[in-house]
Amino acid sequence: MQQTLAIVKPDGVARNLIGEVVARIERNQLAIKAMKMIHMSRAQAEGFYAVHKERPFFKDLTDFMCSGPAVVMILQGENAIARWREMMGATNPADAADGTIRRDFATDIEKNVVHGSDAPETAAFETGYFFSGLERN
Ligand code: CMP
């Protein structure tokens, strides 16, 4: 069993897409092991995306991520990391496959509704960033 971090980003929350995203997760039989709504501080957003800190989009991305509440979740299942990434679609909604969350709802590469861990090491860091061990059993 694998765990991954999923986020409904501030654009998704503002556009009332929490229910839609959760419904898709449930339909795809990924277990929601933990879930909460948070409003990230700038420091929390910068720490979460530290891997991108040299990228040109870092400032805009972290501004956006602390601009409003987001929903963070731990999803669990066989191959959960890849399955959640497949449901999200490509980072840029223009490249995302039909039927994916980003294709159906995202407006641009930054405001792309959802986030998912990209590998087991990042999933371990990202799930641990928002949830304690007690919250994810
Ligand atoms: P996410 O999967 O959360 O990981 C990094 C985020 O940076 C990405 O989704 C996008 O929302 C954002 N981003 C903004 N511009 C770019 C870009 N040019 N390339 C990749 N990611 C970008």
Side-chain angles (χ1 to χ4, degrees):
M1 279 293 173
Q2 195 173 53
Q3 291 190 340
T4 190
L5 186 81
I7 303 180
V8 183
K9 294 183 178 185
D11 60 326
V13 174
R15 292 168 59 206
N16 298 323
L17 292 172
I18 299 170
E20 175 68 36
V21 172
V22 167
R24 287 182 184 220
I25 290 167
E26 291 180 335
R27 276 206 297 278
N28 280 272
Q29 311 205 343
L30 282 169
I32 299 174
K33 293 296 289 182
M35 173 160 68
K36 60 189 169 190
M37 181 177 277
I38 55 165
H39 191 150
M40 278 182 236
S41 67
R42 178 168 306 277
Q44 285 169 335
E46 288 176 354
F48 181 71
Y49 279 121
V51 65
H52 293 306
K53 68 173 176 296
E54 306 303 334
R55 305 274 212 116
F57 55 81
F58 183 70
K59 169 81 168 60
D60 281 354
L61 173 62
T62 51
D63 282 350
F64 164 57
M65 290 302 287
C66 64
S67 67
V71 173
V72 291
M73 290 175 258
I74 296 181
L75 309 183
Q76 179 172 297
E78 292 294 337
N79 217 8
I81 295 171
R83 282 166 63 196
W84 172 234
R85 290 182 71 79
E86 195 176 325
M87 288 171 61
M88 290 194 301
T91 305
N92 188 343
D95 300 330
D98 284 350
T100 62
I101 293 168
R102 285 167 169 163
R103 177 62 154 213
D104 289 347
F105 302 110
T107 51
D108 62 57
I109 194 168
E110 180 181 279
K111 294 183 178 58
N112 60 0
V113 184
V114 281
H115 168 84
S117 310
D118 64 1
E121 304 73 44
T122 44
F125 166 75
E126 293 181 354
T127 54
Y129 195 79
F130 294 115
F131 295 96
S132 72
L134 278 178
E135 291 173 298
R136 61 192 300 168
N137 290 321

